[in-house]
Amino acid sequence: MAAYYITVTGVVQGVGFRPFVYTLATRLALNGWVYNHSGGVDIAIEGPEEAAARFIAALRDEAPPLAHITGVTVRPVSPNGYTRFEIRHSEQQEGQYQLISPDVATCPDCLRELFDPHDRRYRYPFINCTNCGPRFTIIDAIPYDRPNTTMRVFPLCDACRAEYEDPANRRFHAQPNACPVCGPHVWLKENERMANGESRIQNPKSKIQNLTAEDALSKAQALLLDGKIVAIKGLGGFHLACDATNAKAVRTLRERKRRPHKPFAIMAATLDDARALCDVSPEAEALLTSPQAPIVLLDRRSTLVVDDVAPGQHTLGVMLPSTPLHHILLRDVGRPLVMTSGNLSEEPIAMDNAEALERLAPLADAFLLHNRDIHARYDDSVVHIANSEWQTANGKKPSSDLPFTTCHFQFLRRARGYAPFPVRLPFALPQTFAAGPLLKNTFTLTRDVNAFVSQHIGDMENLETLEHYEAALATYRRLFRIEPEVVVCDLHPDYMTTRFAEEYARAHNLPAPRRVQHHRAHIAACLADNGYPRNGAPVIGVALDGTGYGEDNAPFHDAIWGGEWFVGGYDGLTRAAHLEYLPLPGGDAAIRNPWRIAVAYLHTLLGPEAFPAGIFCPSDALLVRQQVTHNINTPPTSSMGRLFDAVSALLDVCQVATYEAQAAIELEQIAAPVGQADSLSYNFDIEASGDMQIVRVAALFEDLLRDIERGVPTPEIALRFHATVAQMIVAVCERLRTATNITTVALSGGVFQNRLLLKLAVPLLEKHRFEVLQHQQVPCNDGGVSLGQAVYQSQ
């Protein structure tokens, strides 16, 4: 008789792991028990040695698909004489913590039941099982049991309890289990619009008693087909939905949301519907139908979705329904719907019913509400597939530690479906709180070798976002039992995150925050994302983005960095090269008006005569040139993002931006396909200044102006510019390799969200025998900066 005590750690709660263990032990005729605790799952087994060995091997080999095991500890013990195998009650253990599953999209089994007229959960908007449904957004304590979730207020009916207690049932110990008899329900409230444009919610504090759930769904369908905007409560907050084939409805949503140009995402009912709208590769199909169901950027193939959904774009952000409620509504409407975050631009997504009725009243014509509370506010994740063509050709495979990786993709926004799954670090850290950047904020908390990068928080520029940040931080600290010993923040003294970190350190009697320069954090994040070892060889880090607080001395003490090359690693990154400094007239005003950047760059590089006719207003351009000449509020910048802005404005692609990186995004979108135009790059120079390499771009603008004068088509010029940036990256890296013998390059920063640039630059680097590290588990944009702050160790 063999007897073992086993501890399993990882994502092993809320994923059907205890039912799996019970079924496995019963199948192998083993006796003992299994239970959840605050640190994972403990198991005791007794029986024949061969059966015990098969059981231990199967824990990893046959684990449920949503489980992700990080450790299995097996210890021989003396037999206790157990006579059966049972699931015991969970235990809370002081100081222990466990990994928690993100929310999971509706599984195929539940989807079949949802649309089966003979099933008792037919068209029930909250159907779920151990393989799908809400997880992190409903948990407020561990271990993961129903009393520790927002489902505690819904006692199970007899039928649901029988499923919950039946080891052979798919809903055995499914904590959110419910049905129309005992579970949450939906209702609808309409918004009365007055003649003066003001809104008034019908009966704001009471439900409409005479509307059944089917009535509410039918009314929501009718409103959407009539061109109205409906706020829909989802897993992590509210969506604002409208008919994506109705230009008037989309324009109305843009006006109300104050979002004139930034693309909206759409939701299609099925994979076939998505294929009718866009080109869906096998990699994209795997992502769309995955348990995470993110928004995936796809190339359009149909004009059914109106251009106003994504102005100036040949791509669409597409997702499939992630909840039963969305599945029902999309099939009822029979059209793709715009499905965008339920907020006014730059505010957090609305989460609670009362909050939505107040904050979204000026935006929505009706509200599809339900009474399952949300504990954690989560947006949808957004991804794109990174260079699948060249990766397939070169036999590349993703090296991510993610349990849900199906192809090599990159995050643009990491939230629902992925967070809070941690990045596994190549070395342990003291418990650390990294406050993150100002824009596209996330924070990171570390414990042992786990880095818990928060869901997308947003731009830290208003009180509402700060409150969301504080609530999310408190949730992560509580659930993962983290008491930070180290606080880290950005160098910028006036960022809201910097001030928060300083106050946090004071309030918790911790040393003053360690400050990490923005672009060094980018490179450190890329290293950690790839599991690069602490004692690994130095790398060349290429950090290209729009804005980051620099470290220069006079005369560039107020310089804004953004086109940077470094050498080093976690323990220190030395700035080795950068784009030349050029004036940014008006600071933020220039970022919102890329034409100002183009004027300033041309004036500085080529003189006052270098202005093509008909692009810039002469009087406005004269004012900017005078501002540059007299150095009035013109901070110097080495930003690659601003170089993209200048070229975009010069080509008259985007002269005024209403959202971040609009000019660069539209420049990428308009560029000719690789292979369909002459991609010969423009000229540029690299000048040595002591130990620093400086990239000079006057020749680039001379060539570009010459092409404009020759009448070269704008798409071809845009492609050539992208090819120039790719050549620039490689040329600087080759110079640095000559000086240092470093052969590994880490790419980070928001500029590398540009799929065309990646398609050009990465194969070129590999052709020149560089090993290339790219982001896999966190975004290359500022959403990954907090991870880099946490792991960067230089003082």
Side-chain angles (χ1 to χ4, degrees), residues 5-10 12-13 18 33-43 88-100 141-145 148 479 481:
Y5 192 95
I6 304 166
T7 296
V8 185
T9 57
V12 288
Q13 295 189 24
R18 286 178 299 171
W33 46 259
V34 59
Y35 74 88
N36 282 348
H37 57 81
S38 303
V41 172
D42 280 359
I43 306 165
R88 292 186 171 179
H89 291 297
S90 300
E91 290 185 5
Q92 190 157 343
Q93 297 180 355
E94 192 67 29
Q96 293 294 312
Y97 76 107
Q98 64 186 58
L99 307 186
I100 300 173
I142 56 172
Y144 175 63
D145 288 311
N148 291 332
L479 293 180
R481 307 288 204 266

Side-chain angles (χ1 to χ4, degrees), residues 375 443 445 468-480:
H375 186 73
F443 61 80
L445 291 169
H468 171 27
Y469 181 95
E470 291 176 318
L473 179 62
T475 296
Y476 274 61
R477 284 186 56 208
R478 181 177 66 256
L479 293 180
F480 300 118

Side-chain angles (χ1 to χ4, degrees), residues 339-512:
M339 202 66 66
T340 189
S341 300
N343 58 2
L344 199 62
S345 288
E346 312 311 328
E347 291 184 358
I349 186 172
M351 181 175 73
D352 299 327
N353 291 343
E355 175 192 8
L357 290 170
E358 178 182 351
R359 285 178 50 205
L360 304 184
L363 283 69
D365 297 303
F367 296 80
L368 192 58
L369 306 169
H370 63 70
N371 58 342
R372 184 179 68 200
D373 288 342
I374 299 170
H375 186 73
R377 198 183 307 258
Y378 265 64
D379 277 292
D380 296 307
S381 293
V382 185
V383 305
H384 70 72
I385 297 166
N387 297 325
S388 59
E389 300 96 335
W390 65 260
Q391 290 209 24
T392 301
N394 290 317
K396 293 277 183 177
K397 292 184 179 180
S399 59
S400 164
D401 190 43
L402 291 170
F404 34 70
T405 296
T406 53
C407 65
H408 187 81
F409 63 91
Q410 288 192 341
F411 285 103
L412 305 182
R413 183 170 74 195
R414 181 179 181 269
R416 176 187 56 76
Y418 298 97
F421 191 84
V423 175
R424 191 169 179 84
L425 300 175
F427 48 86
L429 287 175
Q431 295 189 21
T432 299
F433 162 45
L438 182 70
L439 303 179
K440 292 184 172 64
N441 177 269
T442 64
F443 61 80
T444 292
L445 291 169
T446 70
R447 181 165 180 178
D448 305 322
V449 294
N450 290 316
F452 297 96
V453 182
S454 76
Q455 74 271 33
H456 169 80
I457 301 293
D459 296 348
M460 297 287 289
E461 296 182 318
N462 55 59
L463 179 60
E464 293 85 357
T465 307
L466 176 61
E467 290 172 344
H468 171 27
Y469 181 95
E470 291 176 318
L473 179 62
T475 296
Y476 274 61
R477 284 186 56 208
R478 181 177 66 256
L479 293 180
F480 300 118
R481 307 288 204 266
I482 294 174
E483 292 296 336
E485 307 159 45
V486 177
V487 180
V488 194
C489 66
D490 193 87
L491 272 181
H492 200 298
D494 296 326
Y495 279 179
M496 186 181 290
T497 49
T498 301
R499 293 175 177 175
F500 182 89
E502 291 170 343
E503 178 56 34
Y504 183 95
R506 282 193 296 269
H508 291 80
N509 296 315
L510 295 171

Side-chain angles (χ1 to χ4, degrees), residues 628-650:
V628 171
T629 298
H630 298 289
N631 195 24
I632 301 170
N633 188 22
T634 54
T637 182
S638 60
S639 167
M640 180 64 79
R642 301 293 79 85
L643 183 62
F644 271 82
D645 288 350
V647 172
S648 184
L650 187 58

Side-chain angles (χ1 to χ4, degrees), residues 73-92:
T73 303
V74 181
R75 178 164 55 91
V77 294
S78 300
N80 276 285
Y82 300 118
T83 58
R84 61 192 178 98
F85 198 90
E86 62 180 341
I87 295 180
R88 292 186 171 179
H89 291 297
S90 300
E91 290 185 5
Q92 190 157 343

Side-chain angles (χ1 to χ4, degrees), residues 117-133:
H118 304 292
D119 193 276
R120 73 186 187 94
R121 292 186 177 87
Y122 175 58
R123 289 177 62 87
Y124 179 56
F126 305 97
I127 188 172
N128 67 86
C129 69
T130 54
N131 298 319
C132 68

Side-chain angles (χ1 to χ4, degrees), residues 119-193:
D119 193 276
R120 73 186 187 94
R121 292 186 177 87
Y122 175 58
R123 289 177 62 87
Y124 179 56
F126 305 97
I127 188 172
N128 67 86
C129 69
T130 54
N131 298 319
C132 68
R135 295 294 189 272
F136 192 78
T137 56
I138 64 170
I139 295 172
D140 60 16
I142 56 172
Y144 175 63
D145 288 311
R146 195 179 184 97
N148 291 332
T149 74
T150 60
M151 287 296 292
R152 68 174 72 87
V153 299
F154 299 103
L156 292 167
C157 66
D158 291 344
C160 286
R161 181 160 294 281
E163 294 170 331
Y164 184 87
E165 294 176 351
D166 178 6
N169 195 285
R170 197 174 82 252
R171 295 185 172 89
F172 183 42
H173 280 250
Q175 305 306 333
N177 189 27
C179 74
V181 174
C182 64
H185 62 276
V186 300
W187 68 96
L188 184 131
K189 290 185 184 294
E190 291 191 67
N191 187 351
E192 294 180 353
R193 294 197 173 273

